[in-house]
């Protein structure tokens, strides 16, 4: 009993002290629109368009697997008093429902007007014909990693702009100006990438997971296989051995894995095939500090370098 | 097409052309002039008026065009040019598919089925009173669905092995999870669970069997609360008490829960007192409500680690107590404290650590006639469990749990060491091996050593269910 009381007193003593300390450092600003973004792309779009009008909290780290996010008590508390949510939908964020319910944020549950589904209207790829786990951890509604396509991101900017304008109508003009400016910058960059990296077309490569599909199609790269035998099933030596044969037959020179995917499988194939293994994230912010356009720039440049192709100059 | 760009959507909006109208009117006027040449002036006058109108329209069109040209920002033309270039560069992609508009589970709950099979080798069957060597230990069916804009309904039905090829079914949990902010359209973070639920006591106790980091519950929970932990019927309120983010973005959250439940937490068939009463052929009952409270403080230490403290209690309300048909009156109380520390390894999570400690204490104040199960004394039992777990690869975990606990209604105690290894071939299938060395002293003299090996196979199908946040980072 004494031990229990000691714990309670310790806990009670700790909480007010630490909160008093932290509350003075709190970054919260009640005048700002509080925005929750499940992934860095949506968070950066909200910051780009909202700037000083919004306070954005992004749940998934740039180097983190979106599907593996865990809803901690701190995130639940942050979510609770938020005004707007941007999420992918399509079961990409299976942890979201628990986090929102745990936070009591029923105003942001899917179906509410301030819970913005970013995949709405985007033509999907890899919609499964068979829906069971014999196909691995398939996404029932199709591949949700559409933020890897810059053209889709451009439309997402409009979706973010629409939501911000609806909640901040008095700032509609400035938000629309920022949206237009961002779209123009991204369009310029996309035209340059599609022109300068046209030689990437039909280049065969291997990825770890299916997360790059929209990006690959945009730049006409061809995925000849994945290190995973099925979505989110760990690579096996048998599968990798067969994949090595395919890679040799198709003259594959490039393997892409994401930072949260263990290098062991890519090292296995790299020991058997003359390939370059790139660790690239599908999320901006990896490498640290990259914005959305810089992130695409980085990934494309890395791929071009790995294939001994010229790198596009953003300054041109 | 990869992403269908409507050719007209972003192209400059064409001005509505009046050329066809102009031409038509012109032809009409010429026709009228030709066919009515011999006729009177009114027709010619009409044709003339039409020609003037046409001229006016053309002048106005030119004016509108000039105004539109002047009003259009230069960036528009740049954007238009870029858009035209972009559309020329985009290659059609037949691989896109329409979004699903039919949801097979419409109006039905999300269903997750968890199955847990256990194989056991070693001694100790008599002491532990376990079931068969091989058993489908538990099948849990989890149904969830929103029942209103502010509440979700949850049903967790369990079919479990009772040994000797017999099974029993029970409702482990069945409750409505209500958000008060949605119910009353206010800003409160208060939530309630109404129905039957795992009460917010302790750490291990709050988890379902398939969520445990080991193949069995820690010994303190088993020997002080019962093999299934404590599950109650009633209402629970929970809410965050405080939250703050430091300038570094590190959060600290304190939350609390308080439940009012029926008094059978310890007296059911699986309850620690209920089992004892059944062994002695006694009827045991309690209608006295109990209060269960828990306070949790969670803190992000840095970008890669966090810490959680928890303290919880169970106590009786009023003077009513648990009674047996032999005349025993028992007043139960329980206290718990726990701490969890996690540290993330690299981005693949390999090398991540989980350290966890839990302390439990139960007090049973008994009056009435003394009997083996309920001696006429106040009894206090202590127990603790310490767990260390390391993620060895993306899908393997290695850990060890140390246990020590008093045994109820005796001077006995149990100590244990349980190293374990968990392997997840997929997210939906887990294989776990756990060795267990137990030292049991039922009284001051007897000393039994038990060594056993557990093989646990857990699989699930249906909807994903959230894992406890501390099992991964």
């Amino acid at each position: 009993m004494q031990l229990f009381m000691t714990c309670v007193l310790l806990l009670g003593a700790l909480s007010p002290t630490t909160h008093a300390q932290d509350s003075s450092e709190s970054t919260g600003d009640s005048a700002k629109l509080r925005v929750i973004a499940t992934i860095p792309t949506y968070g950066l779009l909200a910051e780009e368009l909202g700037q000083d009008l919004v306070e954005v909290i992004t749940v998934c780290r740039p180097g983190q697997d979106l599907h593996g996010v865990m809803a901690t008590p701190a995130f639940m508390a942050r979510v609770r008093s938020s005004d707007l949510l941007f999420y992918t939908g399509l079961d990409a964020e299976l942890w979201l429902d628990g986090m929102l319910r745990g936070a009591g944020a029923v105003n942001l549950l899917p179906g509410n007007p301030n819970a913005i589904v970013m995949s709405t209207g985007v033509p999907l790829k890899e919609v499964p014909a068979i829906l069971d786990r014999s196909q691995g951890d398939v996404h029932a509604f199709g591949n949700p990693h559409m933020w890897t396509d810059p053209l889709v991101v451009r439309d997402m900017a409009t979706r973010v702009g629409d939501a911000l304008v609806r909640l901040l109508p008095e700032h509609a003009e400035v938000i629309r100006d920022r949206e237009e400016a961002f779209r123009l910058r991204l369009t310029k960059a996309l035209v340059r990438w599609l022109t300068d990296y046209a030689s990437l077309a039909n280049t065969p490569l291997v990825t770890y997971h299916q997360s790059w599909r929209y990006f690959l199609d945009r730049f006409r790269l061809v995925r000849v296989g994945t290190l995973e035998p099925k979505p989110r099933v760990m690579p096996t030596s048998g599968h990798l051995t067969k994949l090595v044969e395919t890679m040799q037959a198709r003259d594959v020179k490039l393997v892409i894995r994401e930072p949260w995917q263990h290098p062991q499988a890519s090292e296995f194939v790299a020991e058997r095939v003359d390939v370059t293994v790139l660790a690239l994230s599908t999320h901006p912010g990896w490498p640290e500090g990259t914005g959305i356009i810089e992130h695409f720039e980085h990934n494309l440049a890395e791929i071009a370098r790995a294939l001994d192709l010229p790198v596009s100059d953003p300054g041109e | 097409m990869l992403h269908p760009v409507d050719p007209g959507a972003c192209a400059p909006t064409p001005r509505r052309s009046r050329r066809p109208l102009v031409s038509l009117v012109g032809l009409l006027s010429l026709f009228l002039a030709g066919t009515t040449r011999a006729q009177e002036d009114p027709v010619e006058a009409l044709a003339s008026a039409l020609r003037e109108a046409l001229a006016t329209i053309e002048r106005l069109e030119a004016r509108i065009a000039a105004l539109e040209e002047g009003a259009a920002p230069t960036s528009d033309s740049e954007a238009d040019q870029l858009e035209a270039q972009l559309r020329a560069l985009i290659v059609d992609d037949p691989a896109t598919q329409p979004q699903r508009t039919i949801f097979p589970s419409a109006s039905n709950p999300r269903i997750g089925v968890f199955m847990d099979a256990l194989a056991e080798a070693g001694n100790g069957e008599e002491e532990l009173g376990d079931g068969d060597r091989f058993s489908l230990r538990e099948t849990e069916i989890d149904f969830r669905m929103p029942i209103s804009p502010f509440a979700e309904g949850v049903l967790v039905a369990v079919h479990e092995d009772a040994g000797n090829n017999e099974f029993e079914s029970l409702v482990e949990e069945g409750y409505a999870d209500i958000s008060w902010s949605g119910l009353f359209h206010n800003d409160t973070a208060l939530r309630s669970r109404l129905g039957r639920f795992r009460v917010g006591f302790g750490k291990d106790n709050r988890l379902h069997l398939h969520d445990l980091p080991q193949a069995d519950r820690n010994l303190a929970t088993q020997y002080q609360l019962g093999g299934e932990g404590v599950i109650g019927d009633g209402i629970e309120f929970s809410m965050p008490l405080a939250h703050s983010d430091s300038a570094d973005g590190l959060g600290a959250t304190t939350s609390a829960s308080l439940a009012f439940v029926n008094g059978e937490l310890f007296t059911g068939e699986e309850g620690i007192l209920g089992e004892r009463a059944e062994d002695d052929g006694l009827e045991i009952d309690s209608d006295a409500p109990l209060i269960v409270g828990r306070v949790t403080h969670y803190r992000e230490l840095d970008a890669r680690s966090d810490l959680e403290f928890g303290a919880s209690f169970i106590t009786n309300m009023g003077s009513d107590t648990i009674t047996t048909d032999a005349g025993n009156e028992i007043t139960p109380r329980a206290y718990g404290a726990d701490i969890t520390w996690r540290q993330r390894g690299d981005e693949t999570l390999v090398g991540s650590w989980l350290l966890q400690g839990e302390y439990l204490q139960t007090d049973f104040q008994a009056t009435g006639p003394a009997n083996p199960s309920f001696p006429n004394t106040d009894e206090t039992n202590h127990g603790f469990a310490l767990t260390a777990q390391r993620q060895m690869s993306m899908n393997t975990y290695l850990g060890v749990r140390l246990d020590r606990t008093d045994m109820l209604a005796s001077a006995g105690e149990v100590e244990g060491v349980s190293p374990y290894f968990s392997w997840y071939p997929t997210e939906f299938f887990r294989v776990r091996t756990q060795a267990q060395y137990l030292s049991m002293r039922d009284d001051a003299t007897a000393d039994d050593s038990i060594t056993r090996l557990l093989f646990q196979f857990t699989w699930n199908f249906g909807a994903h269910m959230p894992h406890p946040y501390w099992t991964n980072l």
Side-chain angles (χ1 to χ4, degrees):
Chain A
M1 183 62 188
Q2 283 181 338
L3 179 60
F4 172 75
M5 291 308 296
T6 305
C7 290
V8 171
L9 289 172
L10 183 66
L11 190 63
L14 182 66
S15 298
T17 309
T18 50
H19 284 126
Q21 177 192 336
D22 282 354
S23 56
S24 62
E25 300 167 347
S26 176
T27 55
D29 184 343
S30 58
K32 294 183 175 182
L33 191 75
R34 286 178 61 89
V35 178
I36 297 289
T38 56
I39 61 171
T41 296
Y42 311 152
L44 288 168
L45 284 173
E47 284 176 354
E48 178 83 31
L49 273 55
Q51 295 185 16
D52 54 328
L53 306 172
V54 297
E55 182 184 338
V56 180
I57 294 166
T58 302
V59 183
C60 179
R61 300 186 301 271
Q64 188 178 18
D65 181 5
L66 171 64
H67 309 315
V69 169
M70 294 288 164
T72 65
F75 265 115
M76 288 189 188
R78 290 174 186 132
V79 164
R80 190 181 73 76
S81 53
S82 295
D83 307 300
L84 185 60
L85 167 72
F86 294 109
Y87 72 108
T88 308
L90 307 173
D91 275 358
E93 298 104 340
L94 286 163
W95 41 268
L96 184 62
D97 192 74
M99 185 168 78
L100 294 171
R101 289 191 186 280
V106 291
N107 61 316
L108 296 180
L109 282 169
N112 284 280
N114 291 353
I116 310 298
V117 190
M118 299 297 275
S119 62
T120 301
V122 179
L124 290 176
K125 299 170 187 290
E126 297 175 334
V127 178
I130 299 172
L131 258 182
D132 63 40
R133 301 296 174 211
S134 68
Q135 305 305 307
D137 188 5
V138 291
H139 291 287
F141 305 103
N143 190 326
H145 303 269
M146 64 253 310
W147 62 88
T148 58
D149 178 357
L151 194 59
V152 172
V153 171
R154 196 179 69 154
D155 287 348
M156 287 175 169
T158 302
R159 191 168 291 277
V160 170
D162 291 346
L164 294 180
V165 165
R166 182 165 54 79
L167 294 179
L168 299 168
E170 67 276 23
H171 300 289
E173 193 174 346
V174 68
I175 291 168
R176 288 301 187 200
D177 284 349
R178 289 168 185 166
E179 177 195 328
E180 195 57 38
F182 175 79
R183 283 177 59 96
L184 190 63
R185 277 196 294 123
L186 183 54
T187 307
K188 274 184 187 172
L190 184 52
V191 167
R192 177 169 52 79
W193 295 330
L194 289 169
T195 306
D196 293 355
Y197 292 120
S199 53
L200 290 177
N202 302 317
T203 301
L205 54 74
V206 163
T207 63
Y208 190 105
H209 183 60
Q210 296 178 338
S211 39
W212 294 93
R213 178 62 192 270
Y214 293 83
F215 175 87
L216 300 182
D217 284 354
R218 176 59 57 222
F219 296 100
R220 303 175 63 196
L221 291 149
V222 179
R223 186 184 69 205
V224 301
T226 57
L227 297 178
E228 292 175 334
K230 296 280 175 70
R232 289 179 74 81
V233 175
M234 293 294 288
T236 61
S237 57
H239 168 73
L240 293 178
T241 302
K242 285 182 184 170
L243 184 63
V244 164
E245 291 171 11
T246 306
M247 292 169 72
Q248 287 167 336
R250 299 287 298 272
D251 196 23
V252 171
K253 299 291 183 193
L254 181 62
V255 174
I256 299 177
R257 71 171 181 88
E258 288 160 270
W260 52 89
Q261 293 155 351
H262 200 272
Q264 191 177 19
S266 50
E267 287 166 359
F268 179 94
V269 297
E271 286 169 5
R272 290 157 178 81
V273 188
D274 182 21
V275 292
T276 301
V277 179
L278 290 178
L280 302 176
S281 177
T282 52
H283 300 306
W286 181 282
E288 196 173 343
T290 51
I292 291 172
I293 296 173
E294 294 80 8
H295 168 72
F296 285 120
E297 195 86 57
H298 168 82
N299 285 354
L300 285 163
E302 287 292 302
I303 291 170
R305 282 191 199 98
L307 297 169
D308 288 329
L309 295 171
V311 173
S312 178
D313 181 2
E316 280 182 359
Chain B
M1 230 164 98
L2 254 185
H3 180 76
V5 175
D6 178 1
C10 299
T13 307
R15 288 189 298 275
R16 189 159 53 90
S17 174
R18 295 187 180 85
R19 289 286 171 200
L21 174 67
V22 172
S23 304
L24 183 66
V25 174
L27 285 170
L28 179 65
S29 62
L30 286 172
F31 172 75
L32 288 172
T35 54
T36 60
R37 188 170 299 152
Q39 295 183 13
E40 303 303 323
D41 285 342
V43 176
E44 179 57 35
L46 182 60
S48 176
L50 277 170
R51 281 193 292 273
E52 285 179 14
L54 285 171
T56 305
I57 287 168
E58 289 208 23
R59 281 198 304 277
L60 288 172
E61 273 190 338
R63 177 67 178 150
I64 288 167
L67 287 171
E68 284 183 348
E69 194 72 25
T74 51
S75 60
D76 263 6
S77 57
E78 185 186 3
D80 294 344
Q81 288 171 13
L82 280 168
E83 196 64 37
Q85 287 182 51
L86 182 60
R87 276 185 275 119
L89 288 165
I90 290 171
V91 177
D92 283 353
D93 174 22
T96 56
Q97 294 155 280
Q99 295 206 358
R100 284 183 192 275
T101 53
I102 297 172
F103 295 86
S105 62
S107 300
N108 290 319
R110 301 191 305 278
I111 302 172
V113 180
F114 302 85
M115 307 187 83
D116 185 276
L118 193 71
E120 182 182 339
N123 63 334
E125 192 173 2
E126 183 182 344
E127 292 85 349
L128 297 174
D130 278 357
D132 304 321
R133 291 288 182 187
F134 301 96
S135 67
L136 179 60
R137 187 165 56 160
E138 184 177 271
T139 301
E140 180 182 302
I141 308 176
D142 187 312
F143 304 87
R144 287 168 196 263
M145 192 177 191
I147 53 174
S148 79
F150 51 83
E152 184 181 49
V154 176
L155 170 64
V156 181
V158 170
H159 195 61
E160 63 182 19
D161 189 355
N164 299 319
N165 209 22
E166 293 173 2
F167 288 84
E168 56 188 33
S169 297
L170 65 132
V171 174
E172 185 167 328
E173 294 191 283
Y175 59 86
D177 185 353
I178 302 163
S179 164
W180 286 54
S181 63
L183 183 59
F184 295 111
H185 299 282
N186 57 24
D187 195 31
T188 178
L190 187 65
R191 289 173 63 206
S192 292
R193 291 194 293 172
L194 180 66
R196 178 174 173 81
F197 46 85
R198 285 197 164 274
V199 296
F201 178 79
K203 189 78 174 175
D204 194 302
N205 172 67
R206 293 184 298 141
L207 297 177
H208 291 269
L209 194 62
H210 60 85
D211 282 333
L212 292 171
Q214 296 97 26
D216 61 342
R217 295 192 184 280
N218 67 45
L219 299 183
T221 302
Q222 287 188 51
Y223 282 88
Q224 295 198 44
L225 303 180
E228 292 290 330
V230 282
I231 301 169
D233 297 73
I235 186 167
E236 179 189 73
F237 301 93
S238 61
M239 66 181 298
L241 299 176
H243 171 78
S244 63
D245 285 309
S246 71
D248 299 332
L250 302 174
T253 304
T254 304
S255 53
S257 66
L258 192 66
F260 302 90
V261 295
N262 289 339
E264 288 93 4
L265 288 185
F266 302 95
T267 60
E269 202 168 295
E270 300 283 346
I272 194 69
L273 299 181
E275 283 182 350
R276 288 222 156 243
E278 189 178 2
D279 290 346
D280 286 354
L282 299 175
E283 292 289 331
I284 189 166
D285 183 46
S286 172
D287 291 324
L290 294 173
I291 303 174
V292 184
R294 179 175 170 84
V295 179
T296 305
H297 178 74
Y298 169 85
R299 171 166 286 268
E300 293 168 335
L301 299 176
D302 55 43
R304 290 187 175 272
S305 61
D306 54 22
L307 185 66
E308 183 187 280
F309 300 98
S312 44
F313 68 88
I314 300 172
T315 187
N316 61 314
M317 285 179 73
S319 57
D320 290 342
T321 55
I322 297 168
T323 57
T324 70
D325 57 356
N328 302 101
E329 292 189 352
I330 306 133
T331 302
R333 290 198 178 88
Y335 309 95
D338 53 82
I339 183 168
T340 302
W341 175 80
R342 305 186 305 164
Q343 186 180 54
R344 194 172 76 240
D346 61 20
E347 293 302 333
T348 67
L349 304 181
V350 175
S352 297
W353 279 99
L354 167 73
L355 300 180
Q356 193 171 77
E358 177 168 17
Y359 166 80
L360 293 181
Q361 174 183 320
T362 47
D363 292 333
F364 295 105
Q365 297 172 4
T367 60
N371 59 55
S373 291
F374 306 106
N376 185 12
T377 56
D378 292 348
E379 184 181 358
T380 299
N381 301 294
H382 307 271
F384 68 84
L386 300 172
T387 297
Q389 177 181 283
R390 188 170 195 270
Q391 185 165 348
M392 305 304 291
S393 72
M394 285 184 74
N395 61 348
T396 57
Y397 299 81
L398 183 64
V400 63
R401 190 185 74 209
L402 307 178
D403 288 289
R404 189 225 158 263
T405 184
D406 294 334
M407 297 171 78
L408 190 66
S410 78
E413 63 179 37
V414 190
E415 293 176 353
V417 180
S418 305
Y420 61 93
F421 177 76
S422 302
W423 172 43
Y424 292 74
T426 74
E427 193 176 341
F428 306 94
F429 183 59
R430 181 182 64 212
V431 180
R432 178 174 286 149
T433 304
Q434 179 171 324
Q436 196 161 54
Y437 173 79
L438 301 177
S439 173
M440 305 182 75
R441 286 183 290 276
D442 282 343
D443 52 45
T445 55
D447 191 350
D448 294 312
S449 293
I450 297 168
T451 305
R452 60 178 185 162
L453 201 55
L454 305 173
F455 299 97
Q456 184 191 19
F457 304 89
T458 309
W459 62 96
N460 77 293
F461 48 87
H464 284 262
M465 294 296 160
H467 307 284
Y469 83 87
W470 48 268
T471 61
N472 218 328
L473 289 140

